[in-house]
Amino acid sequence: MSLPQAARGVDGRARDGGGARGPGSPPRRVGRYELRRELGRGAQATVWLAHDPRLQRDVALKLLNADADPAMRSEWLNEGRACSTLKHPNVVPVFEADEDGGQPYLVFEYVEGVTLAARLKSQPRLPAREAVGLMLGVLDALAAAHDQGIVHRDLKPSNILLGGDGRPRVMDFGIAARVQRGPGEAGAHDGRIVGTSGYISPEAARGEPPQPAMDVFAAGVMLGEMLSGAPLPKERDPWRAIQRVQSEDLTIAAGGDVDEGLRAIVLRALSRDAAQRFDTARAMHEALALWLDPGHQTLDTSHATLEFLLRRIRHKSDFPALSSSVLRIQKLTGSDTESLRTLSDEILKDVSLTNKLLRMVNTVHFTAVTGEQISSVSRAVVLVGLAGIRNMALSVVLLEHMQDKAHAAVLKEEFLRALMAATLASDLTPQARQGEEAFLGAMFQNLGRLLTEYYFPEEAQRIRQLTAGPGAMTRDAAARKLLGLGLDDLGVGVARAWGLPRTLQKSMRHPTGEAPARRIDPWADEGCERMRWLARGANELTDAMLGHEGTAQAEALSRVAKRFGPALGLDARQLLQAASGARSRLAQLAQAMGLTLAPGAAARRLLQAPAGGADPRARQAAGEAPQAGVEAAPRLAEGSPLVQLSSGLETVRSAVQGRTLPPGDVLRLVLEILHRSLDLRSAVLCTRDPQGTALVGRVATGERAAELPASFRVPLRLGGQPDLFAAICARGADLLVADGATVAPRLPAWYRENVAAPTFLLLPILMKGAPVGLIYADKAEANTLALGDTELLLVKALRDQAALALARP
C-alpha cells in the first residue's frame, strides 16, 4: 500500500469544520426534506439541519459533496446499512438512506448538542467520574454494535455527540465493518488501513481484519485524553502516528483525580497486544462501573441505559415516582404517632400532591362511608391508611406527569394497564399488609415497561412491533435487542437505586415457564415466589381484557384464570370475580383523577363490565353519559358495617386527639366497635408483658370475654415450634384466615386447645417497626369473616388509633 493510499485511508474522512465545499450551491430541498442551515462540513460531506414536513420533525441530513471521492459512495451505503440495524439509546439512529437526482443522502435523528471534540476544546480535562460516566455510554453502544458483528473502526471524539440530556451518542459508522471470523470469509478484509490517526489501534495500523478489540483501544485512547487533558499520541504527522502506535506504548500521567485503579483500567485498554486488552467492550464497561461504584455487583446498576435514566432522575424530576416527596413517603410505613404526623407533614410539603389526594378521598367511594367531606390530610391518612396513601401518591403523581408528554394516549394506556394489574393483585390477597405489597409488586413488574415508554418512546414503539405478528419476540427479548437490557433488569435496577425494599425488588421479576400446577407455599422465599406469580397472573388477566372484547374476552379471561388459579390457591371463579370488581374500582380511581380516554381506546375495556352493561362509574370514566335514573355509586344503607366502622372510627379518633378517654378505655372502645360492626364471636387485645418477652391478653369482648385473655400468650421471639401468631407479629403482617383448619399445623398449642376458632383475623400493632400489641377477632363459622377493601382500610385505621392510645404516656 502506497503512502498516499495509507494517508487517504487513515485521514481521508470528513472532519469537523474542515474541507472545501463543492462547486455550486446545494439545493434548498433534498427529497422531501427542507434544508434549514448547515451544521458541519467536511472533506467529503456536509451535514444540514433539515425539516421533514411529512412527520413534522427536524432531522440531520448528511449530503455527499458533489466533488467527493467516488469510493465514498460505498462507505455511504455501508453507513446506512450499519446504522439501520443498530437501535440503541447511545447510537444516533439513521432514519433513511436514499438518492435524489443522483445525490446520495442519509437522514439521522437530530440531536441538539456538541461533539465530544468540541467539548474537549473548551474543557480539555474532565473530572474522572464525569469522564468515566460518559465512557460507560459509549462502551454500551459499542457492545451493542459488537453483538451484531459490527466494528466501528473510526471511534474518536468528533464522532461522539453529547445531547442536551447528557447522553453520549456514537455516530458516523461510515467505515464500520463486519467482524471477519476466518480466512476466505465473504467480504474478507482487503488489507487497507482505515481509521483516524491518534485513535487507530496497532493491529488496525498493520491493516489487520476488523475486530472489536480495535474499538476497545480507541475507547481507551479517548478516556485517557479526557483524563489527561491532551491527546495521548503527541504526534501531528499521521504517517508517523500509525508507525509509533505499533512500536510504542501509550500512557497517561499520574496525578489529579486519576487514581491507580482507574489508571490501570485505561492502560489495559491501551495495550499494544490485543490479547492483553479487555476482551469485550462490555468487560471494560464492567471494570469502569466497578471503579465508579465499588458496591456495584451486576449489570443492573452499571448498564448505560440504566445510567442514563438514573442521571436523568438525579437532575430532573419529570418521572413522578422519582420525586423526593414520594420517595420519602415510601419510607414512612410505620403506624405509630410519629409516623402518622410525619407522613401528613410530608404530604403537605407538596401542594399538588395534597390537592390530588384530598380530591381522591372526597370521591363518592369515601364520602359514602364518612357521610361528610374530608378536609384535612391527617384525616385522609387515618381513613385510607399509610400504605394506601403511599400507593395513591405513586399513582396520582405518575399520571399527572405522564399527561405532559406528547404520546399521552399510549402512556395513559400503559399506566391504566399497570394500575389494573396492581388493583387486581391486591384484591386477590385477603391479608391487608400483603395486599399492599401485592399492589406494588404487580404495578412495579411493569416499571421497566413504563420507564421505556416514558424515556425511549421510539424504542418502545419498535418493541411493540417486534412483539406482534408472526415470529413475534417476547417483550424482554425485544428490549434486550433494542436497549441492551431486559425490562425486568431496567425496572429492578431503578428500584434498587430508589432504595425500595429488597423483597419488593424480588417480587418485581417475572417468573418464567408455566404456572405451577399446585398451590405455591405462601412462605417460600419470604413470600416473594407467590407474589411474583400473583403479579404475573394479574398482568396476564389485564392483557386479556385489553386484547379482546365480548365473548372472546370472556374466553381469554377464563383461560388465564384456569392457568394461574391452582398456583395461587384460587379457583377460576374467584379470579374472574376479582377481575370484575377491580374494573369498578379502577373506573372510580380514573374518575377521581380526571382521566378520560379517547373513543376507541383499548384501555376503555379496562373500565367497562364485560357483560350486562358497564358499571355507571366506568361509563363516566370512559367519557360516557350515565344512564338516566342511575346514581354514580350506590349509597350505603344505614347501619351497615361500613357506616358503623366509619362512625366508630370518628368517635375513637376524637377521643384520642382530644384525650377525652384514658388509653385503656380507648382500647376497649376499639374492640367494641370491631365486635359490633363485624358481628364477631369474640375479640381480644394483647399487649406486651412487663418483661417485654411476649404479647399477652389484656381485654376481650364477646363470648368468654372474662376468661379468654388468659389463654393468649404470643412470644416475641420465634422458637422451634410452629407458631403462626408469633410469625405474623414478627413480620408485622396482617392475616385473615378464612378456614382455620387450613393452617392448623402452624397454630400454637395454647390456641388449638383453648380457642380454635374456624375463622379469625390478626392485626399486629407496631411502634417503630416492633410489635407492641395484637388485635385478635374471630367468628363462629368458617369463611364468614369476609372484609371488603374499604372495611379493611377502616379496620386498619382503628388499629392505628389503638397504637396512638398505647403510645400515650
Side-chain angles (χ1 to χ4, degrees):
M1 183 172 57
S2 66
L3 179 58
Q5 287 175 315
R8 186 177 63 201
V10 173
D11 272 334
R13 307 282 299 138
R15 297 183 180 276
D16 294 349
R21 187 164 156 181
S25 298
R28 301 312 300 173
R29 180 185 291 270
V30 175
R32 71 171 188 268
Y33 301 96
E34 302 167 2
L35 303 187
R36 296 287 175 83
R37 60 183 169 86
E38 185 176 304
L39 297 175
R41 185 148 41 99
Q44 310 258 16
T46 307
V47 179
W48 292 81
L49 172 65
H51 182 70
D52 181 352
R54 180 182 302 170
L55 298 179
Q56 288 296 305
R57 65 179 178 184
D58 289 337
V59 296
L61 189 144
K62 189 174 182 180
L63 195 64
L64 187 65
N65 290 346
D67 59 349
D69 186 335
M72 272 294 291
R73 286 181 176 265
S74 63
E75 291 184 7
W76 191 271
L77 295 175
N78 193 49
E79 181 170 11
R81 285 191 295 267
C83 288
S84 68
T85 63
L86 286 175
K87 302 293 184 182
H88 192 275
N90 295 101
V91 174
V92 178
V94 63
F95 293 152
E96 186 177 343
D98 206 347
E99 289 188 358
D100 182 22
Q103 169 69 68
Y105 65 91
L106 294 176
V107 182
F108 296 88
E109 176 188 20
Y110 173 63
V111 180
E112 192 167 2
V114 299
T115 65
L116 178 58
R119 170 74 181 278
L120 293 177
K121 285 181 180 179
S122 61
Q123 185 183 359
R125 173 177 289 178
L126 301 182
R129 297 185 67 83
E130 182 179 349
V132 170
L134 190 154
M135 184 52 61
L136 287 175
V138 174
L139 289 168
D140 206 49
L142 293 177
H146 296 166
D147 286 345
Q148 297 190 35
I150 298 172
V151 181
H152 190 288
R153 298 202 299 176
D154 196 25
L155 199 66
K156 55 187 176 181
S158 61
N159 282 339
I160 307 299
L161 182 63
L162 304 179
D165 57 9
R167 188 192 339 175
R169 301 187 184 208
V170 180
M171 57 183 182
D172 199 352
F173 281 76
I175 56 174
R178 291 281 175 181
V179 176
Q180 185 175 338
R181 304 298 181 186
E185 180 177 332
H189 185 59
D190 60 7
R192 288 190 309 142
I193 298 175
V194 290
T196 298
S197 61
Y199 302 93
I200 193 170
S201 67
E203 63 270 26
R206 293 191 293 269
E208 294 181 10
Q211 292 296 329
M214 296 176 177
D215 287 344
V216 171
F217 182 90
V221 175
M222 285 200 303
L223 181 55
E225 183 175 339
M226 287 187 281
L227 295 172
S228 64
L232 296 194
K234 298 178 175 57
E235 178 61 67
R236 294 188 175 183
D237 182 79
W239 180 249
R240 286 180 57 83
I242 65 170
Q243 294 297 320
R244 292 182 61 178
V245 76
Q246 299 176 63
S247 58
E248 300 176 15
D249 291 327
L250 297 179
T251 186
I252 60 173
D257 59 350
V258 181
D259 60 25
E260 287 303 309
L262 179 56
R263 188 166 182 269
I265 293 173
V266 177
L267 292 180
R268 180 177 176 185
L270 294 176
S271 175
R272 280 190 291 140
D273 182 357
Q276 300 300 316
R277 287 180 217 143
F278 295 100
D279 56 350
T280 64
R282 190 167 284 111
M284 184 177 177
H285 182 290
E286 287 292 299
L288 288 172
L290 185 60
W291 176 86
L292 194 64
D293 178 13
H296 143 270
Q297 296 179 347
T298 68
L299 188 65
D300 286 344
T301 56
S302 66
H303 195 280
T305 304
L306 182 56
E307 284 292 325
F308 162 70
L309 287 177
L310 294 177
R311 185 166 56 249
R312 179 76 173 267
I313 288 164
R314 286 191 292 268
H315 298 294
K316 297 179 181 290
S317 59
D318 53 354
F319 193 82
L322 314 175
S323 72
S324 58
S325 293
V326 174
L327 286 179
R328 288 194 294 271
I329 288 171
Q330 286 282 337
K331 297 177 181 179
L332 301 175
T333 57
S335 60
D336 54 273
T337 309
E338 179 182 355
S339 292
L340 287 170
R341 185 174 58 250
T342 304
L343 177 58
S344 298
D345 291 343
E346 189 62 51
I347 293 171
L348 287 169
K349 293 178 183 177
D350 190 323
V351 175
S352 175
L353 182 57
T354 299
N355 292 335
K356 289 291 184 180
L357 290 176
L358 287 177
R359 189 175 79 179
M360 291 182 67
V361 297
N362 278 294
T363 59
V364 66
H365 182 63
F366 290 103
T367 56
V369 175
T370 61
E372 59 181 329
Q373 294 292 300
I374 301 166
S375 59
S376 70
V377 169
S378 60
R379 187 174 178 201
V381 171
V382 172
L383 177 65
V384 178
L386 294 175
I389 290 290
R390 175 188 60 192
N391 296 342
M392 284 183 178
L394 284 171
S395 303
V396 169
V397 187
L398 177 67
L399 182 64
E400 179 170 304
H401 285 262
M402 279 190 168
Q403 288 177 316
D404 293 336
K405 304 297 272 187
H407 54 308
V410 176
L411 287 167
K412 284 181 185 179
E413 182 166 309
E414 287 293 328
F415 169 72
L416 280 174
R417 179 191 171 279
L419 193 55
M420 167 60 86
T423 303
L424 182 52
S426 179
D427 286 356
L428 292 169
T429 307
Q431 295 85 2
R433 181 69 62 87
Q434 291 184 359
E436 294 153 6
E437 294 172 357
F439 181 98
L440 286 176
M443 171 170 271
F444 278 25
Q445 266 196 2
N446 298 290
L447 182 59
R449 183 168 168 171
L450 287 167
L451 286 164
T452 301
E453 190 62 62
Y454 194 81
Y455 284 111
F456 307 117
E458 291 182 357
E459 288 83 353
Q461 181 180 7
R462 180 62 177 149
I463 287 173
R464 290 194 293 275
Q465 294 170 349
L466 292 175
T467 55
M473 303 173 67
T474 66
R475 279 190 176 270
D476 211 56
R480 289 184 183 279
K481 176 181 177 66
L482 297 177
L483 298 175
L485 81 170
L487 298 179
D488 276 1
D489 289 332
L490 180 62
V492 173
V494 172
R496 181 175 301 162
W498 293 351
L500 294 184
R502 181 177 56 86
T503 52
L504 177 56
Q505 294 178 34
K506 294 172 71 174
S507 299
M508 289 169 59
R509 289 195 176 276
H510 288 75
T512 57
E514 287 299 317
R518 300 179 62 182
R519 182 173 180 267
I520 299 170
D521 180 0
W523 305 97
D525 193 20
E526 302 178 279
C528 295
E529 181 66 12
R530 186 180 188 279
M531 285 295 182
R532 279 192 289 268
W533 283 105
L534 175 61
R536 178 177 159 184
N539 274 285
E540 292 201 20
L541 284 168
T542 302
D543 286 337
M545 297 180 208
L546 271 172
H548 303 85
E549 288 185 288
T551 303
Q553 183 185 97
E555 292 174 350
L557 285 169
S558 181
R559 287 193 298 270
V560 176
K562 290 177 181 178
R563 282 174 48 217
F564 287 91
L568 302 177
L570 301 167
D571 59 40
R573 179 181 55 82
Q574 290 173 303
L575 288 169
L576 294 176
Q577 287 178 344
S580 179
R583 281 177 162 172
S584 178
R585 279 178 286 282
L586 182 65
Q588 184 180 63
L589 186 60
Q591 178 186 347
M593 291 177 174
L595 173 64
T596 58
L597 297 171
R604 291 167 67 97
R605 300 169 190 166
L606 298 178
L607 307 177
Q608 296 173 340
D615 182 273
R617 288 165 294 188
R619 293 180 182 276
Q620 191 165 354
E624 301 177 13
Q627 294 178 341
V630 179
E631 295 184 17
R635 297 291 298 180
L636 295 171
E638 290 295 323
S640 71
L642 287 176
V643 170
Q644 293 184 53
L645 284 170
S646 177
S647 176
L649 175 61
E650 289 302 301
T651 301
V652 173
R653 184 182 64 83
S654 298
V656 171
Q657 294 184 354
R659 296 177 178 259
T660 58
L661 290 177
D665 289 347
V666 171
L667 299 176
R668 288 185 180 87
L669 179 59
V670 168
L671 287 189
E672 290 171 0
I673 292 170
L674 291 174
H675 187 276
R676 182 179 66 253
S677 302
L678 303 179
D679 193 24
L680 300 174
R681 181 181 73 169
S682 58
V684 180
L685 176 74
C686 302
T687 60
R688 281 186 180 180
D689 63 5
Q691 293 76 31
T693 60
L695 301 178
V696 297
R698 297 296 186 190
V699 62
T701 61
E703 296 181 12
R704 302 170 59 201
E707 62 185 67
L708 203 55
S711 300
F712 280 75
R713 185 173 182 83
V714 181
L716 292 177
R717 291 188 179 181
L718 296 176
Q721 298 299 319
D723 191 335
L724 180 62
F725 283 61
I728 288 298
C729 290
R731 288 167 57 89
D734 303 327
L735 178 66
L736 174 60
V737 176
D739 187 352
T742 62
V743 294
R746 299 184 58 85
L747 296 175
W750 62 264
Y751 183 82
R752 293 197 305 267
E753 295 169 4
N754 301 320
V755 186
T759 181
F760 60 89
L761 172 68
L762 300 179
L763 298 168
I765 301 174
L766 307 180
M767 285 187 184
K768 301 186 184 302
V772 297
L774 172 69
I775 294 177
Y776 166 89
D778 66 28
K779 297 191 78 168
E781 296 180 10
N783 300 302
T784 58
L785 187 53
L787 300 176
D789 288 348
T790 307
E791 291 170 317
L792 279 173
L793 291 172
L794 292 171
V795 168
K796 281 177 47 187
L798 280 167
R799 184 263 311 275
D800 291 340
Q801 293 298 319
L804 294 176
L806 286 174
R808 279 172 52 180

